[in-house]
Amino acid sequence: MSDPSLFELAIPAWMVVALATMAVLFFVTAPYGRHSRPGWGPSLPAWLGWMVMEAASPLAFSLFLLPGNDHLTLPVLAFWVLWMVHYVNRAFVYPLRMADNRRPMAISVAGMAVFFNFVNGYINGHYLRLFGEGYTSGWFVDPRFIAGLLLFAAGMRINTHSDAVLRDLRANGSGEYRIPRGGLFSRVSCPNYFGEIVEWFGWACLTWSLAGLAFAIWTAANLIPRAVAHHRWYRRRFSDYPYNRRAVIPYLL
Ligand code: NDP
């Protein structure tokens, strides 16, 4: 979409789609991991599914931002680096390290995630291509950049630490589910999701962009209903599940 004003109009529409999707996800939990169920077609190993679906995002982001772009500024390059740091972990390190990474994942689920990730990568890459010149080097000392970067880093730390706690629960190769403990698990059932949501709201703040906000809203739209489903599942599964834990947002939800 080369017309900037049309593109800026399309982003709020994409946010509305996110909110509608969120409403649906409260009733239909995405069928992977503990919520897997038959009826979603053929599958592929989880590690491959994660690689394919998550690689779509850095690919689209780079493809729409970089080639032939003579107006790349230093802050935009810094944004690119942050996006890549997150996605190198999510698309390549995470799938290879996850326990039980040969468990099946429905190709239909991975396909939907490829679409979601590609569109969000496109929107953010294209936005920065259209409007990136506005970020001069002074942006590095702008309070919005500094606050957003701190949020992004804190969110990523919470996310990767929580992913590691979950991975350790399967270190014995049993493939069982256990009650996770430590870190923010003392407050919520899904601190990995909480960290991811904080991270992308940090991104929205550090880029101060509608595109960034759209992706943060999509992340929350995907992960909040899933966290609520996980939380209910934990309570049903473990009679000794800590009663004071929330689902995803400490003290709130
Ligand atoms: P989950 O928390 O459902 O699972 C993460 C891994 O830990 C899986 O391998 C899972 O196994 C295992 N696991 C989870 N709970 C337990 C437990 N109690 N005992 C033992 N093992 C457990 O996360 P997701 O798979 O949904 O997501 C993985 C990462 O991807 C997260 O960091 C998330 O933030 C991110 N993500 C981001 C999205 C976005 O919109 N930006 C969308 C989806 C995910 P199993 O698979 O067998 O359940």
Side-chain angles (χ1 to χ4, degrees):
M1 204 176 287
S2 52
D3 180 346
S5 48
L6 202 61
F7 179 65
E8 273 193 301
L9 274 181
I11 299 177
W14 183 236
M15 292 180 188
V16 173
V17 177
L19 295 177
T21 303
M22 184 181 199
V24 171
L25 288 175
F26 275 114
F27 297 97
V28 185
T29 306
Y32 71 92
R34 80 195 65 189
H35 305 290
S36 293
R37 47 200 185 272
W40 290 81
S43 57
L44 74 180
W47 69 268
L48 184 58
W50 276 98
M51 268 193 198
V52 171
M53 63 193 190
E54 299 298 318
S57 175
L59 188 73
F61 187 76
S62 302
L63 210 64
F64 289 98
L65 174 63
L66 299 181
N69 188 344
D70 303 326
H71 305 290
L72 280 173
T73 64
L74 277 180
V76 172
L77 277 175
F79 301 158
W80 181 82
V81 169
L82 292 176
W83 193 278
M84 291 303 132
V85 166
H86 174 89
Y87 276 104
V88 165
N89 174 58
R90 177 65 67 233
F92 302 107
V93 179
Y94 175 79
L96 293 177
R97 295 185 73 196
M98 69 193 273
D100 287 343
N101 68 7
R102 288 175 188 280
R103 283 185 175 212
M105 171 186 278
I107 293 173
S108 55
V109 173
M112 283 185 266
V114 166
F115 173 73
F116 153 78
N117 282 325
F118 192 87
V119 174
N120 281 303
Y122 155 69
I123 287 181
N124 279 269
H126 190 60
Y127 182 97
L128 292 173
R129 188 183 192 98
L130 288 177
F131 304 110
E133 264 186 290
Y135 299 95
T136 58
S137 295
W139 187 250
F140 286 126
V141 290
D142 190 291
R144 290 166 290 182
F145 177 77
I146 296 168
L149 187 62
L150 289 174
L151 273 179
F152 185 89
M156 189 166 186
R157 174 78 189 118
I158 294 168
N159 175 260
T160 52
H161 174 262
S162 310
D163 279 348
V165 169
L166 293 175
R167 189 163 50 240
D168 286 350
L169 291 179
R170 294 257 173 90
N172 61 7
S174 70
E176 286 172 6
Y177 288 98
R178 294 162 55 201
I179 299 178
R181 298 184 195 276
L184 267 185
F185 281 104
S186 62
R187 297 274 163 238
V188 290
S189 294
C190 302
N192 50 344
Y193 295 170
F194 173 68
E196 183 105 21
I197 292 167
V198 169
E199 199 178 334
W200 293 111
F201 275 97
W203 168 268
C205 183
L206 74 92
T207 58
W208 206 252
S209 67
L210 214 52
L213 183 62
F215 185 43
I217 290 175
W218 262 103
T219 301
N222 273 329
L223 296 182
I224 289 177
R226 190 165 182 81
V228 170
H230 273 26
H231 188 62
R232 288 196 185 125
W233 180 94
Y234 274 124
R235 287 190 158 172
R236 279 197 309 270
R237 174 84 169 233
F238 300 104
S239 56
D240 57 340
Y241 196 68
Y243 69 94
N244 59 342
R245 276 188 204 182
R246 298 289 185 149
V248 61
I249 301 176
Y251 307 106
L252 282 179
L253 177 69

